[in-house]
Amino acid sequence: KTALILSRLFPKAKINTIDLDMNENSFSSTYDRSKTKKKFIFQRNKILKKDKKISLNEMNSIRLCRDKNLYDLIWIDGAHGYPVIAMDLINSVRLIKKGGFILIDDVWTTNIKSDKVYKSVGSFESLNEIKKAKLINDFFLIPKRLSSKNNLPGRKKYVGIIKNS
């Protein structure tokens, strides 16, 4: 859905989206897709076919270490915990064009219970380390949900933004 939204926001853009290979065990186990795998793939492909400028690459995002393309916008919304988020951020910093933006979904600054896939402070900690290493000038956090129940400790999450200046 994010790829389709981006294609509508940027009608002249070519959108490359990545998802794990459907035959990988991690594809089925992530978000408990094992029970709904066929339905998920059907729905995903149906959405992506709505715009011919969207191309799907089924691969592990870690393989982007071999990518030589540069991008205007990178949206990170894969595994949010270590080690994948750190690798996704490093690859994104390398692949973003001057003046481009990197957006990171589901950034937790604190949480009560952490995991490798969804609820983790990995993004926040990695952003701070990348900034400390002077690979980026700064990053910004925008609250993702503003309802009161999502502002409780351990529930507050953000979209992270890096501008490559």
Side-chain angles (χ1 to χ4, degrees):
K1 290 179 183 177
T2 303
L4 186 60
I5 291 168
L6 290 172
S7 76
R8 299 298 194 250
L9 290 172
F10 305 101
K12 295 180 182 178
K14 179 181 176 196
I15 310 290
N16 296 317
T17 187
I18 296 172
D19 200 354
L20 292 169
D21 185 312
M22 66 178 148
N23 296 314
E24 281 189 34
N25 183 47
S26 52
F27 178 88
S28 298
S29 62
T30 306
Y31 300 110
D32 201 24
R33 289 189 244 198
S34 58
K35 298 173 184 171
T36 59
K37 183 176 171 179
K38 287 183 182 180
K39 182 179 177 184
F40 173 86
I41 292 167
F42 175 79
Q43 291 294 338
R44 178 198 66 192
N45 293 345
K46 183 179 170 183
I47 290 168
L48 295 179
K49 286 179 184 174
K50 291 182 179 184
D51 194 319
K52 293 177 183 166
K53 297 183 308 291
I54 300 173
S55 62
L56 170 66
N57 298 305
E58 289 187 72
M59 63 184 247
N60 189 312
S61 62
I62 296 169
R63 293 187 64 212
L64 286 170
C65 66
R66 295 183 176 157
D67 195 339
K68 302 211 184 315
N69 295 306
L70 294 178
Y71 299 91
D72 298 303
L73 174 68
I74 298 174
W75 178 271
I76 301 173
D77 190 16
H80 300 292
Y82 294 113
V84 176
I85 188 58
M87 289 183 251
D88 282 350
L89 279 164
I90 291 294
N91 280 328
S92 296
V93 167
R94 185 180 63 79
L95 296 170
I96 198 69
K97 286 181 182 176
K98 189 104 173 144
F101 290 89
I102 301 169
L103 289 94
I104 308 100
D105 198 22
D106 298 326
V107 176
W108 301 80
T109 57
T110 60
N111 61 22
I112 297 164
K113 192 174 182 182
S114 188
D115 63 54
K116 282 186 161 188
V117 176
Y118 183 67
K119 196 172 184 181
S120 172
V121 295
S123 298
F124 185 64
E125 290 176 349
S126 296
L127 284 164
N128 280 303
E129 289 301 316
I130 290 168
K131 180 181 174 183
K132 194 180 343 178
K134 298 184 179 166
L135 296 175
I136 60 173
N137 291 327
D138 208 353
F139 65 90
F140 306 92
L141 299 177
I142 297 174
K144 186 162 179 186
R145 297 189 177 129
L146 300 176
S147 70
S148 59
K149 74 175 185 172
N150 290 310
N151 285 315
L152 298 172
R155 291 184 135 183
K156 185 83 174 145
K157 57 185 176 176
Y158 303 85
V159 172
I161 300 175
I162 300 169
K163 181 175 185 194
N164 186 20
S165 40

